[in-house]
């Protein structure tokens, strides 16, 4: 069975490699006689100078890699080097299109399959110490076996590769610049925010890991404890995530001083944007933050196919300035660049806190009681599908607010706004909750509600509590996932809170009820961040 699985992986790698290596050239070049395919393939190989190599990683683990060097490189000069760790579950040819472009700009590029995936050796460590050590081993190999300049080392990557780049920047002072796209800064906050398991996201990651790689024993145990809601293992889960979070090593990253660009999508259902924004604010070296519409890795996905892509264009400019010394103005631009989900225009800010210059509070007065364990119809959608629809067609998850059953959903609405409202940043909920049980889960949703009552999802976030005294009120403070969304004039905002969402594991005992209340001494509200007009 193991040999059969390896054979399938080898076949898949060969097929995808051939497609990526030949595809762009086939589309751009004139048709050639069918008798010359071998000659054409040889000509392309010579022009791009792509070599497939084995690199010895930490502990002797073999990492499958490819190397692209600048055309005409003859060993008489040194070039900046970019190391690209692959994304979760993708083979080593993931970055071929971008590697070629970087090489054409004067870089040596080394892309490698992270340990445990596809044909690389070892086991999936989820950004653990062996993965960090592997990154340094790949840099060692590049400096010893290519015309790479030891003073101009950079890393870039998407998703899993982005996280490894940031972790490596904390542990290897040779890294001078990083472009971390659709990655994580806080692994726990990404998949366990609000003390709630993000079940769809984690199930997708675990499934892809088993399909394309070899999960380590530790990873298998962690996922088993995660899905079983084993509260006795909670601190172990948190410690495991902290060990793999760049935010844990923030002091080292700042001390090493690498220039760091972070890019992500507003609707990222694997690594929500809040944790990236918080991390960015604490960086002290050269830095840049970009957010665009979409879901996990969709903002840079077309660039991996060799198509024009804003995210990769920004990444190239960042690396060019900090590794090649190109005076392209990126150091003089406002470093926070965002695009609203509602428009195609970019906005630029001096820092993250300036994105939301003002706030508007929605009063959550009165008392509302709901029954738990029933999905009210309000939900965050489906990973990938919902945010991609929002990105492409501006169709986020929707709900008819007047028809939501008030037995299972607490609903508050603002007045109708006379002018367009530009939501930018992180909405914050403060309320008082009384539960009939000691544990429970609630999910908050912010909707843009049109004249007919149809609500379009603006943001959401889950919150889980344990160990509360039944019948005793307690305060809840919850940050919704950061976003940029324009509410049209004549619309209103609605906050909906229920207890079940397919995106998350809920912890509501049978028969549980939740009451939301507000008092003069401690009023409940939703703080909505707004851009200045």
């Amino acid at each position: 069975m193991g040999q059969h699985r390896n054979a399938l992986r080898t076949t898949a790698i060969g097929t995808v490699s051939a497609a990526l290596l030949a595809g762009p050239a086939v589309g751009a070049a004139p048709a050639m006689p069918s008798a010359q395919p071998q000659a054409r393939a040889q000509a392309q190989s010579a022009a791009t100078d792509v070599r497939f190599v084995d690199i010895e990683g930490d502990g002797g683990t073999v990492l499958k890699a490819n190397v692209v060097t600048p055309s005409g490189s003859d060993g008489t000069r040194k070039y900046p080097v970019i190391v690209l760790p692959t994304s979760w579950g993708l083979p080593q040819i993931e970055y071929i299109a971008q590697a070629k472009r970087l090489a054409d700009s004067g870089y040596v590029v080394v892309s490698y399959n992270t340990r445990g995936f596809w044909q690389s050796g070892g086991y999936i460590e989820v950004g653990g110490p062996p993965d960090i050590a592997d990154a340094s081993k790949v840099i060692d190999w590049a400096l010893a076996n290519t015309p790479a300049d030891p003073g101009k080392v950079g890393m870039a990557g998407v998703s899993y590769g982005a996280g490894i780049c940031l972790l490596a920047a904390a542990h290897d002072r040779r890294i001078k610049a990083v472009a971390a796209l659709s990655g994580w800064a806080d692994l726990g906050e990404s998949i366990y925010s609000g003390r709630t398991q993000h079940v769809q996201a984690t199930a997708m990651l675990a499934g892809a890991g088993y399909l394309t790689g070899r999960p380590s024993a530790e990873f298998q145990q962690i996922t088993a404890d995660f899905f079983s809601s084993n509260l006795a293992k909670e601190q172990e889960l948190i410690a495991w995530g902290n060990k793999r979070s760049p935010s844990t090593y923030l002091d080292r990253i700042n001390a090493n001083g690498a220039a760091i660009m972070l890019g992500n999508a507003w609707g990222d259902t694997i690594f929500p944007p809040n944790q990236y924004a918080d991390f960015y604010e604490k960086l002290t070296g050269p830095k840049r933050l970009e957010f665009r519409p979409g879901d996990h890795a969709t903002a840079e996905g077309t660039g991996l196919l060799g198509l024009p892509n804003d995210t990769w264009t920004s990444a190239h400019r960042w690396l060019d300035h900090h590794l090649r010394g190109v005076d392209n103005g990126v150091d003089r631009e406002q470093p926070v660049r965002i695009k609203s989900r509602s428009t195609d225009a970019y906005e630029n800010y001096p820092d993250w806190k300036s994105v939301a210059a003002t706030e508007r509070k929605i009063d959550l007065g009165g008392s509302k009681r709901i029954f738990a364990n029933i999905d009210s119809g309000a939900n965050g959608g489906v990973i990938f599908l919902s945010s991609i629809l929002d990105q492409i067609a501006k169709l986020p998850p929707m709900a008819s607010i007047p028809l939501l059953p008030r037995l299972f959903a607490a609903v508050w609405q603002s007045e109708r706004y006379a002018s367009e409202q530009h939501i930018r940043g992180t909405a914050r909920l403060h309320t008082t909750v009384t539960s009939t049980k000691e544990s429970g889960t609630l999910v908050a949703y912010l909707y843009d509600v049109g004249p007919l009552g149809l609500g379009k999802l603006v943001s959401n976030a889950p919150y889980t509590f344990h160990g509360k005294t039944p019948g005793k009120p307690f305060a809840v403070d919850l940050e919704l996932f950061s976003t940029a969304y324009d509410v049209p004039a004549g619309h209103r905002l609605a906050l909906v809170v229920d207890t079940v969402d397919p995106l998350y594991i809920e912890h509501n005992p049978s028969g549980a009820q939740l009451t939301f209340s507000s008092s003069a001494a401690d009023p409940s509200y939703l703080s909505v961040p707004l851009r200045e007009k």
Side-chain angles (χ1 to χ4, degrees):
M1 180 66 180
Q3 291 179 346
H4 177 65
R5 188 161 128 176
N6 286 337
L8 288 175
R9 286 181 184 154
T10 302
T11 302
I13 289 173
T15 302
V16 180
S17 297
L20 287 183
L21 285 169
V26 170
M32 298 181 69
S34 58
Q36 298 180 0
Q38 184 174 1
R40 181 174 64 176
Q42 290 173 346
Q44 288 173 350
S45 177
T48 55
D49 193 19
V50 180
R51 291 187 294 134
F52 290 88
V53 300
D54 290 349
I55 297 176
E56 184 176 302
D58 184 54
T61 297
V62 174
L63 305 175
K64 296 294 183 177
N66 58 71
V67 184
V68 188
T69 53
S71 178
S73 173
D74 58 7
T76 61
R77 58 168 292 192
K78 297 290 187 180
Y79 300 90
V81 58
I82 303 291
V83 173
L84 302 167
T86 54
S87 301
W88 186 272
L90 292 186
Q92 57 164 308
I93 40 72
E94 173 188 6
Y95 300 111
I96 284 291
Q98 289 301 320
K100 289 180 180 179
R101 292 189 175 185
L102 287 165
D104 288 343
S105 298
Y107 293 95
V108 170
V109 186
V110 182
S111 174
Y112 71 96
N113 231 128
T114 49
R115 66 169 51 227
F117 285 104
W118 293 88
Q119 299 302 101
S120 282
Y123 296 90
I124 299 171
E125 302 289 347
V126 199
D131 291 305
I132 299 170
D134 282 346
S136 291
K137 288 285 190 178
V138 173
I139 294 172
D140 292 341
W141 185 93
L143 296 179
N145 295 276
T146 74
D149 187 336
K152 298 179 179 179
V153 177
M155 292 190 70
V158 176
S159 184
Y160 190 45
I164 290 175
C165 288
L166 292 173
L167 289 164
H171 293 83
D172 195 323
R173 296 180 63 88
R174 294 174 297 181
I175 299 169
K176 304 302 182 186
V178 170
L181 312 177
S182 290
W184 77 90
D186 187 324
L187 188 57
E189 186 64 21
S190 296
I191 61 175
Y192 192 57
S193 69
R195 213 177 173 187
T196 309
Q197 298 106 310
H198 295 207
V199 63
Q200 285 189 20
T202 310
M204 188 284 295
L205 292 172
Y210 277 95
L211 181 65
T212 63
R214 298 167 301 281
S216 66
E218 182 183 30
F219 178 47
Q220 293 181 52
Q221 186 61 54
I222 285 291
T223 53
D225 292 338
F226 182 91
F227 290 121
S228 68
S229 300
N230 188 348
L231 197 59
K233 297 287 187 177
E234 183 180 35
Q235 291 308 310
E236 291 182 26
L237 290 169
I238 292 172
W240 178 86
N242 287 342
K243 191 174 184 179
R244 290 158 172 79
S245 295
S247 58
T248 300
Y249 311 103
L250 182 67
D251 290 345
R252 292 188 191 179
I253 293 174
N254 286 334
N256 290 348
I260 293 177
M261 173 187 163
L262 305 172
N264 205 355
W266 294 118
D268 194 321
T269 44
I270 307 295
F271 304 128
N274 300 46
Q275 42 95 34
Y276 245 20
D278 292 342
F279 180 70
Y280 171 83
E281 283 290 87
K282 297 171 184 176
L283 291 171
T284 58
K287 58 184 180 178
R288 186 175 182 88
L289 177 68
E290 299 190 358
F291 284 134
R292 296 175 174 83
D295 205 311
H296 184 66
T298 63
E300 51 274 337
T302 56
L304 295 176
L305 300 175
L307 300 174
N309 181 275
D310 285 356
T311 304
W312 280 105
T313 297
S314 289
H316 283 241
R317 293 181 68 232
W318 185 253
L319 297 170
D320 283 348
H321 177 74
H322 291 285
L323 294 178
R324 294 177 55 228
V326 177
D327 185 13
N328 53 21
V330 71
D331 57 320
R332 297 186 293 276
E333 297 170 358
Q334 296 194 91
V336 176
R337 187 179 190 227
I338 70 171
K339 181 188 283 190
S340 167
R341 291 162 48 200
S342 308
T343 69
D344 291 324
Y346 281 101
E347 301 167 7
N348 301 288
Y349 299 89
D351 48 40
W352 173 247
K353 63 178 179 292
S354 298
V355 171
T358 61
E359 67 173 15
R360 182 189 295 269
K361 286 188 176 181
I362 298 175
D363 178 41
L364 308 180
S367 178
K368 300 181 186 292
R369 172 176 290 192
I370 62 174
F371 291 88
N373 302 307
I374 301 294
D375 190 339
S376 70
N379 64 68
V382 179
I383 61 167
F384 294 128
L385 176 63
S386 297
S387 291
I388 290 175
L389 282 173
D390 184 39
Q391 177 184 6
I392 296 173
K394 293 181 172 53
L395 291 174
M398 300 182 189
S400 175
I401 304 305
L403 297 182
L404 291 176
R406 270 38 177 189
L407 283 176
F408 311 116
V411 181
W412 298 265
Q413 296 192 71
S414 72
E415 75 281 5
R416 295 190 186 277
Y417 297 117
S419 60
E420 188 174 55
Q421 304 294 298
H422 305 281
I423 298 175
R424 300 290 186 273
T426 309
R428 292 174 171 84
L429 168 64
H430 173 76
T431 189
T432 298
V433 176
T434 305
S435 174
T436 59
K437 306 290 184 178
E438 67 172 17
S439 295
T441 296
L442 59 91
V443 185
Y445 310 89
L446 181 61
Y447 284 99
D448 160 26
V449 185
L452 299 180
L454 182 64
K456 294 183 176 181
L457 187 66
V458 177
S459 185
N460 78 99
Y463 181 92
T464 293
F465 58 89
H466 298 286
K468 299 298 183 182
T469 302
K472 183 177 180 179
F474 60 93
V476 169
D477 289 284
L478 175 63
E479 287 190 350
L480 276 62
F481 300 136
S482 302
T483 194
Y485 183 96
D486 301 329
V487 180
H491 287 212
R492 67 178 73 198
L493 289 171
L495 176 73
V496 176
V497 181
D498 71 3
T499 61
V500 176
D501 190 304
L503 288 173
Y504 313 113
I505 292 179
E506 51 93 3
H507 296 261
N508 297 296
S510 178
Q513 299 176 39
L514 301 180
T515 300
F516 303 91
S517 58
S518 181
S519 65
D522 186 17
S524 295
Y525 61 85
L526 179 74
S527 176
V528 180
L530 299 174
R531 187 192 76 190
E532 285 184 332
K533 294 183 180 179

